[in-house]
């Protein structure tokens, strides 16, 4: 529900209710969780350049192990340097419950705690007549990180300690003309987890890049997209994925497209979990046809 009190003040309120149930296909464990949340957001336009956004969420969660009552605040600021550029800040609390089956994934882990911490972001956005620039720095600090660990005789999901991730993101997207545009993005971070023995372990790639070029003219559209990840944990080789798309609007109601994923046909690890490496699909060609009725 939105309330516009006047030109400079706005209030949003809402609620959420959710019920989850889980039953093992092999085994006898069962789990359930009920969640309710009330949230509000208050926006105040202090002056023509400066805006504040305050958010607050109350979350009630009850499962087979414990009941939680949590207050989750957020505060955003936006300052317009001009009509085309803005500086912003964002501070928010994070609260992530264990998945229902985490409690009995391998052995009973009734002492699991939610991941709880704070996220901080400072950024700059500028729109040009022929493109845009986005720059932001961020810092994530979370306690009670949930992770699968090796223990005798079985693996176990448990809280392993503190997770930190400072980093910076840059994205630039120029518009060449009315048909062509391209973009490039870079994220450099230092994601690491503090283990029980006090040592820090890298958990995700430190360097991630993306680039793309798009053509759209009349009935034809096409794009070429590149994603890569480097400086990955556990000496995993760099990830590189190139995708291609081409589409043609046959009529107002009919659209034909061809997509090619993993154009280079690389066998790269996409994710690593439970000490198992998951690989992406080989080169895949997908042909699509869409018809809109009515």
């Amino acid at each position: 529900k939105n309330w516009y009190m006047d030109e400079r003040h706005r209030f949003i309120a809402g609620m959420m209710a959710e019920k989850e149930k889980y039953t093992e296909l092999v085994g006898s464990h069962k789990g359930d969780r009920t969640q309710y949340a009330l949230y509000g957001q208050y926006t105040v336009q202090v002056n023509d350049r400066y805006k504040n956004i305050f958010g607050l969420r109350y979350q009630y969660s009850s499962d087979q192990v414990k009941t939680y009552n949590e207050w989750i605040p957020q505060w955003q600021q936006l300052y317009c340097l001009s009509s085309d550029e803005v500086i912003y800040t964002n501070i928010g609390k994070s609260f992530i419950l264990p998945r229902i089956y985490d409690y009995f994934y391998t052995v009973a882990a009734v002492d699991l705690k939610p991941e709880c911490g704070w996220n901080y972001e400072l950024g700059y956005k500028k729109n040009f007549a022929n493109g845009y620039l986005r720059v932001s720095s961020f810092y994530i600090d979370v306690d009670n990180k949930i992770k699968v660990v090796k223990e005798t005789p079985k693996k176990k999901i448990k809280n392993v300690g503190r997770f930190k991730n400072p980093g910076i993101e840059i994205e630039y997207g120029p518009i060449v003309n009315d048909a062509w545009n391209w973009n490039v993005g870079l994220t450099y971070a230092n994601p690491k987890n503090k283990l029980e023995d006090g040592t820090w372990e890298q958990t995700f790639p430190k360097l991630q890049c993306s680039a793309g070029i798009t053509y759209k003219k009349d009935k034809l559209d096409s794009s070429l997209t590149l994603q890569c990840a480097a400086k990955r944990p556990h000496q995993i080789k760099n990830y590189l994925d190139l995708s291609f798309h081409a589409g043609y609007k046959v009529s107002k109601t009919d659209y034909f497209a061809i997509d090619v994923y993993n154009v280079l046909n690389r066998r790269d690890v996409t994710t690593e979990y439970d000490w198992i490496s998951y690989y992406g699909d080989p080169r895949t060609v997908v042909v699509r046809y869409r018809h809109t009725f009515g």
Side-chain angles (χ1 to χ4, degrees), residues 181-215:
N181 65 76
W182 60 275
N183 67 282
V184 60
L186 173 71
T187 300
Y188 188 83
N190 188 21
K192 54 187 179 179
N193 205 95
K194 189 175 183 180
L195 306 180
E196 290 180 320
D197 60 4
T199 60
W200 291 89
E201 177 188 46
Q202 183 185 343
T203 52
F204 301 108
K206 290 186 175 183
L207 179 63
Q208 298 184 69
C209 307
S210 63
I213 184 168
T214 301
Y215 174 84

Side-chain angles (χ1 to χ4, degrees), residues 1 7 58 65 184 198 217-218 257 266 274 277 279 290:
K1 176 67 178 176
E7 292 182 353
Y58 167 73
V65 175
V184 60
K217 188 74 171 180
D218 299 326
R266 290 172 58 95
D274 287 11
S277 295
Y279 290 85
R290 183 179 71 230

Side-chain angles (χ1 to χ4, degrees), residues 94-117:
S94 65
F95 179 73
I96 303 174
L97 288 167
R99 296 164 298 187
I100 294 178
Y101 57 83
D102 281 350
Y103 294 112
F104 43 80
Y105 174 71
T106 51
V107 295
V110 295
D111 57 344
L112 271 180
K113 301 179 180 67
E115 296 180 5
C116 191

